[in-house]
Amino acid sequence: MKQNNRALNDAQKFSLARREAIYTGLALAGLIIFWLIAGFGTASLDVKIFHLPLWAVLGSVGVWFVAIFISALLSKVLFKDVDLGGEDDG
């Protein structure tokens, strides 16, 4: 996990959380677009992978690989480890 060297106030923490949520939503939208293109866009192609049509492989397993890649990219580049703190943390 990345360490945050300076203390953030509540407004900065909420701003960071909002930014992360927006980018996560954009990543989801991109994943849905990939799913549509991979599944429906390749349906007319007569390509087989392990005796399965290309659209079936890309629309199922391909989406998982892209989702894992996007998640890893977001966690390495964008997300920051921030102590949210609280009075009950001790």
Side-chain angles (χ1 to χ4, degrees):
M1 286 186 195
K2 297 178 184 176
Q3 294 296 325
N4 195 1
N5 294 334
R6 61 185 175 94
L8 299 175
N9 64 28
D10 286 342
Q12 291 170 324
K13 290 177 187 177
F14 287 125
S15 175
L16 183 64
R18 181 177 182 268
R19 183 185 71 150
E20 291 175 357
I22 289 170
Y23 279 108
T24 301
L26 291 173
L28 174 62
L31 189 62
I32 291 170
I33 291 169
F34 173 81
W35 172 71
L36 289 171
I37 292 170
F40 296 108
T42 61
S44 62
L45 299 176
D46 190 28
V47 178
K48 304 264 187 205
I49 299 176
F50 299 115
H51 304 289
L52 293 170
L54 180 63
W55 67 266
V57 174
L58 289 179
S60 57
V61 178
V63 173
W64 282 103
F65 283 121
V66 172
I68 291 168
F69 174 76
I70 290 173
S71 298
L73 185 68
L74 284 175
S75 67
K76 293 288 182 189
V77 174
L78 181 73
F79 293 167
K80 293 189 168 108
D81 187 19
V82 176
D83 180 24
L84 297 177
E87 289 82 36
D88 59 345
D89 287 345

